[in-house]
Amino acid sequence: EPEVTQTPSHQVTQMGQEVILRCVPISNHLYFYWYRQILGQKVEFLVSFYNNEISEKSEIFDDQFSVERPDGSNFTLKIRSTKLEDSAMYFCASSPGEETYEQYFGPGTRLTVT
Amino acid sequence: LAKTTQPISMDSYEGQEVNITCSHNNIATNDYITWYQQFPSQGPRFIIQGYKTKVTNEVASLFIPADRKSSTLSLPRVSLSDTAVYYCLVGDLPPDKLIFGTGTRLQVFP
């Protein structure tokens, strides 16, 4: 069964550094998302991406964040200057299209900012 | 997106049927009801989706009364591996962002 993959599984970085989290969505999916989950808290929506552009973003997704689909397979989330409060699990998800509310989540990248 | 209310936690024993009810009084005509499951340190996983009446798949059943102001996720004969957080979400198609609440933490005991 196809699945969403994410790399790395765990990233440790120092405050102020840039990080890029990578995702490979399921190949025939059209909608892509990033969510995050701070330890012990709810899963929070960050951004959705469709047709090579951001379709919606949350208040969390400020100027420090950006997303890109550089080729036909990868979907990346960049945090330009990490803060301690960016420490969280980041999940990528993809969805096939307009007939389902189902999103397929990756295993996540645990980001630790020190 | 309609607000949902579900119990914070539930306990069960292996082999029992578990029913988790979700209230969504402000559900809109176009909204669907979807349930996700999340294990610790993993991404949420889609379980089931429905609009009205009853939906069943290999994992669970979803019961939706005529007024659609609530829904019940039914897990038959749970096992230890069903210990997870279960989220009820309500929203319209196409695939918009998912808004997760705090979910119901199900603990299954031997």
Side-chain angles (χ1 to χ4, degrees), chain B residues 34-84:
Chain B
T34 311
W35 286 78
Y36 278 78
Q37 173 192 56
Q38 186 181 28
F39 298 112
S41 299
Q42 293 188 28
R45 185 174 74 102
F46 173 89
I47 301 175
I48 198 165
Q49 175 182 308
Y51 184 80
K52 61 180 179 180
T53 63
K54 177 183 174 183
V55 180
T56 297
N57 62 20
E58 64 276 7
V59 176
S61 294
L62 178 59
F63 298 91
I64 305 168
D67 66 5
R68 303 200 328 121
K69 292 184 184 298
S70 66
S71 59
T72 299
L73 174 74
S74 181
L75 304 173
R77 296 180 298 281
V78 294
S79 65
L80 295 176
S81 62
D82 292 316
T83 293

Side-chain angles (χ1 to χ4, degrees), chain A residues 31 33 35 37 41-43 45 56 89 91 95 97-103 105-108 110, chain B residues 1 34 36 38 41-44 46 49 87 89-98 100-102:
Chain A
Y31 298 79
Y33 312 83
Y35 294 83
Q37 187 173 31
Q41 298 188 23
K42 297 187 290 188
V43 177
F45 167 76
E56 188 171 0
M89 195 77 156
F91 296 108
S95 179
E98 299 182 355
E99 297 303 316
T100 178
Y101 204 50
E102 180 173 358
Q103 294 183 16
F105 283 75
R110 180 170 299 284
Chain B
L1 295 169
T34 311
Y36 278 78
Q38 186 181 28
S41 299
Q42 293 188 28
F46 173 89
Q49 175 182 308
Y87 300 96
L89 296 92
V90 173
D92 192 6
L93 302 177
D96 204 349
K97 62 180 182 282
L98 297 177
F100 289 87
T102 51

